[in-house]
Amino acid sequence: MATPKGGNFGKVLEIDLSKQTYKTRPVSDEILQQYIGGRGLGAYYALTEYKAGKNPFDEDAFVFIGPGPLSGTMAVSHRTCFVNISPLTGRLNHAECGAHLASEIKFAGWDGIYIKGKAKKPVWLAIVNDKVEFKDASKMWGKTTDEAHEMMVKEMKDPEIRTAVIGPAGENGALQANVIVERFRAASRSNTGPVFGDKKLKGFAVRGTKYAVPVADNAKFLAAAKTAKELNIQGEAWEGLKRWGTGGLMELKHFLHGSLITKNFQTTWWPDVVNIGGEEAARTFWKRHSSCTNCPAHCLKLGIIREGKYRGLVAESPEYESGGLLGSNLGMKKFDEMTALIEACDAYGLDNISTGGTLAFLTEAMEKGAIKPADLDGLKPKWGDGDTYMEMIRRIAYKEGKAGKFMAQGVARMSKQIGKGSDAYACVVKGRELAAHDPRGDKIRAYSYTMGTNGADHHEGQGSRALAMTAMADSLCSCSFTSMLLWGASTDKIVTDMLNGLCGWNMKPEDYWTTAKRIFTAERILNVREGISSKDDRLPKRFFTEKLPAGPRKDAVFTEEDQKKMEADTYGFFGWDAKGIPTEATLKAYGMDAFIGELNAAKKKFNL
Ligand code: SF4
């Protein structure tokens, strides 16, 4: 087992909440080269430690929080990855979020944090370099994410700590619950909130003052990192991202792409976007830019509501997915009301996407008569009614009453219970609510929604190559906006040049692809073990059967032909068979022979 020469320390911090102990878990350079870090390393741990059907609430179920080898270095932009079995989908999922947490974990001397076990009473963790303190969280339990963040800062007397906390939604086990990182960023698509809640873990704070990321060949690494950053700065997309963040996409997706989701994906035409999108935010709300570590794109936009009933509310808004799911998809016309919904989800610790999807689905179900107000304890959601949506969000977070418990399950389970043909407008893939891009207007997005590991995630890659590149970016913990999307066809060389200088590896550009495919295939093996195959790699019914009624992509529909092409392209690219199962030859080519037996057993069990 070789020790890393650079990029990594060769050690992960393993925390056992049951015993309230911690130790170093060594990780070899060979494993890091095969699975890189972040998302890839989380998949490796699940693949080698879990059997099929792992329950996220088992005592030994882990949450892995990963930086990557580039985190904490001069390379551009760093994000953090959370990996765990999602209680919403029942499968291993991953979530990436911005801010500075990844670098801080590296400065504390760790290649990742692996948390298992269950505390008897609420705890939070203060991680300072090599030391972990298990702190009493009884006074923090029940607090919102912003309050918990402030309490950690106060108790550690250090404004530079990096926090990751859950809100009441995670504590109460709402399946849409997430983890909020450093007050304004969200790790959502792994549904880590209810897992932390079950472990009685309010969250953790990290401070690193002792370690610098080791570099194998400084001159080589700095030259490669500089080339990468210069390529970014030359990109035109860079300027748009700096000016508008992702909020500016709302108008673009509406007027140009025809993919702005509206009223539970019934249309993509919502002219009121001019009142809730980036232009309105620039006119009345934004106050300052903010960014993740070492990212000059600063796509995060903070603002303050200046008048009306939400006057004084400080929020990060509208990030595109939040604005889509809690804005146009709910028929919202008022910027302040939409922003208040976004901020409420963040404060309670709820995924904006799944929560917005839940509210939109119920509004349509009410409209169609599939449910009545009595089914929701008297609530009657209707498009654009911000007050009712705010109350629904609160009840989800606290699982209050019959309605709160019902809504906190997410769309797939609700639709099953409602029946009455509601599956026709239940917009989920593999148990997860769709993000903010209508795949009839944005067909390439269907790859991300259907072929991606998480299901219905907007961020898994548009196209077969992009699926692999995103798996790699999430394992490096680089932001795709400032890496693969700007580096394009040079990405394999840029990444391997940086890794070779940093880690002392000898990767060729083609090794980038083998590694990326190995990571994505590792997740596919985990999915196949749970019975997933081509039958699940599909968009919801609505997108095949209902044409877009208006907008720039009027009459567009996703066809069976589109589906067939996407399957053939993806499965062919990764070396999977026609049912989406990795072949034996592929597993051998990626050095994953050890999993052939398990895959064959799953094929037999699920008749795949
Ligand atoms: S582009 Fe935005 S999300 Fe990406 S690293 Fe920069 S600030 Fe963070």
Side-chain angles (χ1 to χ4, degrees):
M1 188 179 111
T3 307
K5 293 192 198 107
N8 295 294
F9 300 99
K11 58 193 180 87
V12 163
L13 172 61
E14 182 176 313
I15 294 169
D16 186 334
L17 293 168
S18 304
K19 296 182 184 150
Q20 310 250 316
T21 57
Y22 62 98
K23 65 178 185 185
T24 295
R25 166 189 272 251
V27 52
S28 72
D29 199 45
E30 290 85 354
I31 294 301
L32 289 163
Q33 197 164 348
Q34 285 175 48
Y35 291 92
I36 303 294
R39 177 175 160 187
L41 197 51
Y44 167 75
Y45 286 141
L47 204 51
T48 49
E49 294 173 20
Y50 285 169
K51 290 209 167 24
K54 183 72 182 172
N55 188 321
F57 300 132
D58 282 348
E59 186 156 355
D60 64 349
F62 69 77
V63 175
F64 178 68
I65 301 117
L70 298 173
S71 309
T73 73
M74 287 304 293
V76 67
S77 70
H78 309 290
R79 286 159 58 91
T80 313
C81 186
F82 285 66
V83 184
N84 53 269
I85 303 282
S86 157
L88 181 74
T89 67
R91 297 174 294 102
L92 191 84
N93 288 164
H94 57 91
E96 291 70 39
C97 76
H100 305 275
L101 178 62
S103 306
E104 205 68 31
I105 294 172
K106 294 300 279 279
F107 298 152
W110 303 106
D111 300 325
I113 302 174
Y114 177 109
I115 303 174
K116 65 176 186 179
K118 293 187 190 196
K120 288 193 176 60
K121 293 184 300 194
V123 291
W124 66 279
L125 307 167
I127 303 166
V128 181
N129 300 319
D130 313 289
K131 202 172 150 218
V132 181
E133 269 188 85
F134 294 80
K135 291 189 169 266
D136 178 9
S138 49
K139 288 200 179 119
M140 224 178 255
W141 208 249
K143 299 288 184 195
T144 59
T145 58
D146 47 318
E147 289 167 336
H149 166 84
E150 292 302 332
M151 288 169 85
M152 287 183 184
V153 171
K154 202 168 164 195
E155 186 158 341
M156 289 180 76
K157 297 187 182 64
D158 185 349
E160 306 254 330
I161 61 166
R162 308 299 178 185
T163 63
V165 301
I166 59 168
E171 295 170 12
N172 295 317
L175 297 185
Q176 302 95 333
N178 62 9
V179 173
I180 296 291
V181 172
E182 297 168 42
R183 175 66 179 85
F184 289 110
R185 307 309 297 158
S188 288
R189 307 250 86 188
S190 51
N191 311 99
T192 308
V195 182
F196 269 25
D198 182 66
K199 291 180 180 302
K200 290 269 185 295
L201 177 64
K202 183 68 180 177
F204 61 87
V206 183
R207 184 73 171 110
T209 56
K210 205 168 147 186
Y211 297 91
V213 178
V215 182
D217 184 330
N218 215 20
K220 204 167 157 186
F221 172 60
L222 279 181
K226 192 166 167 245
T227 304
K229 202 181 251 185
E230 276 167 2
L231 267 176
N232 281 358
I233 292 164
Q234 286 159 18
E236 258 182 56
W238 182 269
E239 289 304 320
L241 198 59
K242 277 164 82 167
R243 172 72 183 87
W244 297 103
T246 59
L249 292 175
M250 290 184 73
E251 287 91 340
L252 186 79
K253 299 276 176 181
H254 176 260
F255 289 111
L256 208 62
H257 295 175
S259 61
L260 178 74
I261 59 167
T262 303
K263 296 188 176 175
N264 200 33
F265 296 86
Q266 294 188 71
T267 177
T268 58
W269 189 241
W270 188 242
D272 279 292
V273 71
V274 296
N275 297 315
I276 58 171
E279 292 260 8
E280 177 66 10
R283 271 194 297 270
T284 64
F285 177 69
W286 284 336
K287 184 79 182 153
R288 59 172 292 183
H289 310 291
S290 176
S291 79
C292 307
T293 311
N294 208 14
C295 177
H298 50 65
C299 80
L300 319 178
K301 310 290 174 206
L302 291 167
I304 182 164
I305 299 287
R306 292 169 169 90
E307 37 188 66
K309 67 177 165 182
Y310 293 111
R311 188 168 184 268
L313 181 76
V314 174
E316 200 261 315
S317 171
E319 181 271 335
Y320 176 70
E321 306 303 324
S322 306
L325 267 302
L326 293 163
S328 53
N329 208 36
L330 297 181
M332 299 299 292
K333 298 179 177 183
K334 293 184 180 162
F335 186 88
D336 62 338
E337 291 192 1
M338 174 194 73
T339 295
L341 298 179
I342 293 170
E343 180 57 19
C345 281
D346 287 352
Y348 291 132
L350 283 166
D351 174 14
N352 288 199
I353 299 175
S354 284
T355 308
T358 299
L359 304 185
F361 167 76
L362 288 171
T363 308
E364 188 169 353
M366 186 73 69
E367 204 172 50
K368 289 188 157 55
I371 53 168
K372 299 183 291 301
D375 299 320
L376 294 181
D377 294 338
L379 293 165
K380 191 178 180 195
K382 54 179 190 297
W383 305 121
D385 180 356
D387 289 344
T388 301
Y389 289 137
M390 184 64 90
E391 178 59 14
M392 290 167 83
I393 289 170
R394 193 188 68 77
R395 291 198 201 179
I396 292 171
Y398 291 98
K399 288 175 77 173
E400 188 178 295
K402 187 177 75 174
K405 289 182 188 67
F406 177 62
M407 295 188 288
Q409 310 173 88
V411 171
R413 288 173 175 84
M414 288 193 301
S415 172
K416 241 185 205 157
Q417 284 164 32
I418 292 170
K420 300 178 185 168
S422 64
D423 59 325
Y425 50 92
C427 296
V428 290
V429 176
K430 295 177 188 152
R432 177 175 299 287
E433 292 77 10
L434 250 72
H437 312 256
D438 193 304
R440 289 164 294 189
D442 181 2
K443 285 199 174 180
I444 193 88
R445 189 72 58 171
Y447 278 84
S448 190
Y449 286 158
T450 64
M451 300 292 154
T453 299
N454 284 351
D457 192 332
H458 59 291
H459 173 261
E460 293 222 43
Q462 300 170 62
S464 52
R465 286 168 69 84
L467 288 164
M469 292 168 89
T470 308
M472 191 67 162
D474 294 345
S475 304
L476 292 162
C477 292
S478 300
C479 175
S480 55
F481 286 149
T482 52
S483 60
M484 51 180 272
L485 291 179
L486 293 174
W487 301 336
S490 311
T491 303
D492 50 7
K493 176 155 181 6
I494 289 172
V495 168
T496 48
D497 281 353
M498 284 198 287
L499 288 177
N500 291 342
L502 177 65
C503 306
W505 295 341
N506 190 22
M507 286 177 88
K508 297 178 191 63
E510 54 266 34
D511 298 329
Y512 166 97
W513 292 104
T514 310
T515 308
K517 288 179 180 181
R518 178 187 299 113
I519 292 167
F520 195 63
T521 297
E523 293 173 335
R524 186 66 175 189
I525 295 170
L526 288 160
N527 265 339
V528 172
R529 283 193 338 194
E530 304 300 336
I532 295 285
S533 70
S534 54
K535 69 185 181 323
D536 306 287
D537 296 341
R538 285 180 70 83
L539 290 168
K541 277 186 192 171
R542 164 157 276 168
F543 303 102
F544 288 94
T545 55
E546 297 176 28
K547 290 180 179 177
L548 282 177
R553 296 282 194 275
K554 186 173 182 302
D555 292 333
V557 72
F558 202 82
T559 65
E560 288 297 340
E561 193 56 30
D562 293 329
Q563 175 72 27
K564 268 189 211 145
K565 270 194 211 154
M566 185 171 63
E567 284 181 17
D569 177 27
T570 307
Y571 302 162
F573 181 74
F574 285 98
W576 304 350
D577 68 18
K579 286 189 175 171
I581 317 294
T583 64
E584 283 196 24
T586 294
L587 294 188
K588 283 181 186 160
Y590 300 158
M592 302 172 96
D593 314 37
F595 306 107
I596 292 172
E598 273 188 88
L599 216 50
N600 286 336
K603 278 163 77 173
K604 206 166 157 195
K605 180 174 172 191
F606 297 107
N607 196 22
L608 303 175

